[in-house]
Amino acid sequence: MNNSYTIISFPGLGIELDPLRQITIGPLTIHLYGMIIAFGLMLAVLYGWKRCKQFGIKGDDLTDGVLYIVPFAILCARLYYCAFKWEEYAANPISILYIWEGGLAIYGGVIGAVIGVIVFCKVRKIKTAAVLDLTTLGFLIGQSIGRWGNFFNREAFGGPTESFLRMGLYNTVTRTVEFHHPTFLYESVWNLTGFVILHFLSKRRQYDGQIALGYVLWYGLGRAIIEGLRTDSLYWGPFRVSQVLAAVSCVAAAAVLMFMMYRKHDKANLFVNQVAAREAAEEAKEAEE
């Protein structure tokens, strides 16, 4: 095996790679991590455009919504990370703004995105639960793809393992290749699976917010398990912050879904059907005039 410190290997799969971290074009340096995040966001938006009418949302509103959501997501992703790594920023708080140096937390980004959705819906007077149903499907697309940025950065991996999917990384201290859980891969596959399941379930949703709750349950369950394998978790005392948040949110979402399961739901109350009924009434009124 090539022991170069840049090599990433998956001996169980017979794969050995040396992925780039960045591309330099003249004075411009492009980081692969950022490109992958942007690609995931682009696919999420394209999916949203494709399906927005099925949730009662206009394409223009979706486009404007992205402009609300992304800044909130980036800001909260940074603040979440810095809050639990404060010892690294206390001496120079202004460095919190140096986002290009890395240090974003996905859970913080999700929280920020939800805040952005709520603000946007209040401004545009759109039903928040319906927008969250569509948005959380986009989350799963973005998160599934975005995790591959961790692969290119050689970060967010798990503890030692000899499993079939073990990932070999060169340790510059011990000067040996060590094998770790590829937690980025676990989470990427988990999120992709969740997207496929919720995509099809969304076509049969009984009430607005059902898919968003499904997202919280699915992502929370996976993150609670996978976070326990990681070596770079953010801690609050002895607790892994994201693992606790994931577990609590998963249980809460499961409880609400169970409660809603035993309630009767009129599909006429779905936002998309309310919009369709309103548009039909307006067309009928115009025809009479």
Side-chain angles (χ1 to χ4, degrees):
M1 178 186 297
N2 188 335
N3 282 349
S4 169
Y5 72 92
T6 61
I7 292 292
I8 302 176
S9 62
F10 295 87
L13 302 175
I15 297 174
E16 190 172 274
L17 302 168
D18 187 5
L20 294 174
R21 289 193 181 190
Q22 59 189 39
I23 300 173
T24 301
I25 305 175
L28 180 65
T29 299
I30 302 173
H31 294 272
L32 270 296
Y33 182 90
M35 288 182 63
I36 291 170
I37 295 295
F39 181 63
L41 174 61
M42 181 186 73
L43 286 187
V45 172
L46 288 175
Y47 175 82
W49 276 335
K50 181 73 174 177
R51 297 204 59 204
C52 61
K53 290 184 179 180
Q54 298 173 30
F55 291 81
I57 304 166
K58 297 177 181 178
D60 289 344
D61 285 336
L62 175 66
T63 302
D64 292 343
V66 172
L67 300 179
Y68 273 82
I69 295 170
V70 172
F72 275 101
I74 294 175
L75 175 63
C76 288
R78 181 61 170 171
L79 291 178
Y80 184 103
Y81 179 86
C82 293
F84 296 104
K85 285 281 189 178
W86 182 243
E87 67 279 3
E88 298 180 10
Y89 301 94
N92 185 27
I94 194 66
S95 63
I96 292 175
L97 301 178
Y98 303 163
I99 195 171
W100 55 88
E101 294 183 354
L104 298 174
I106 286 183
Y107 242 127
V110 170
I111 293 170
V114 171
I115 294 173
V117 168
I118 293 172
V119 172
F120 173 72
C121 290
K122 291 296 182 182
V123 172
R124 289 297 178 88
K125 295 180 171 57
I126 303 174
K127 194 170 183 179
T128 303
V131 177
L132 284 174
D133 279 342
L134 180 59
T135 303
T136 49
L137 286 167
F139 285 174
L140 288 170
I141 294 174
Q143 289 171 307
S144 179
I145 294 172
R147 273 304 178 194
W148 284 89
N150 299 133
F151 168 74
F152 283 91
N153 270 10
R154 297 160 178 81
E155 63 185 7
F157 50 81
T161 183
E162 290 298 324
S163 72
F164 174 71
L165 290 174
R166 65 191 182 278
M167 175 176 65
L169 295 170
Y170 185 77
N171 187 321
T172 56
V173 176
T174 63
R175 296 186 178 183
T176 60
V177 173
E178 299 175 352
F179 297 100
H180 300 268
H181 283 286
T183 47
F184 81 90
L185 176 61
Y186 299 163
E187 193 166 331
S188 178
V189 173
W190 179 262
N191 290 334
L192 179 60
T193 303
F195 166 73
V196 172
I197 293 172
L198 292 178
H199 167 78
F200 288 106
L201 288 179
S202 68
K203 298 178 180 181
R204 299 182 179 182
R205 64 190 185 282
Q206 300 298 307
Y207 55 90
D208 292 318
Q210 185 176 18
I211 302 305
L213 287 168
Y215 163 81
V216 175
L217 187 155
W218 183 268
Y219 181 66
L221 177 61
R223 186 63 184 269
I225 296 171
I226 296 169
E227 188 71 21
L229 300 174
R230 288 177 58 169
T231 59
D232 62 342
S233 298
L234 298 175
Y235 280 86
W236 185 16
F239 302 105
R240 297 174 188 258
V241 180
S242 293
Q243 187 176 39
V244 172
L245 179 57
V248 171
S249 62
C250 175
V251 172
V256 176
L257 283 167
M258 287 292 291
F259 173 75
M260 296 296 285
M261 186 183 299
Y262 293 100
R263 297 190 64 184
K264 291 184 179 181
H265 302 285
D266 185 353
K267 284 197 172 186
N269 292 327
L270 282 170
F271 184 63
V272 62
N273 293 333
Q274 291 177 345
V275 170
R278 185 167 61 245
E279 291 176 348
E282 291 174 354
E283 290 176 2
K285 184 177 180 180
E286 291 177 359
E288 290 177 359
E289 295 175 352

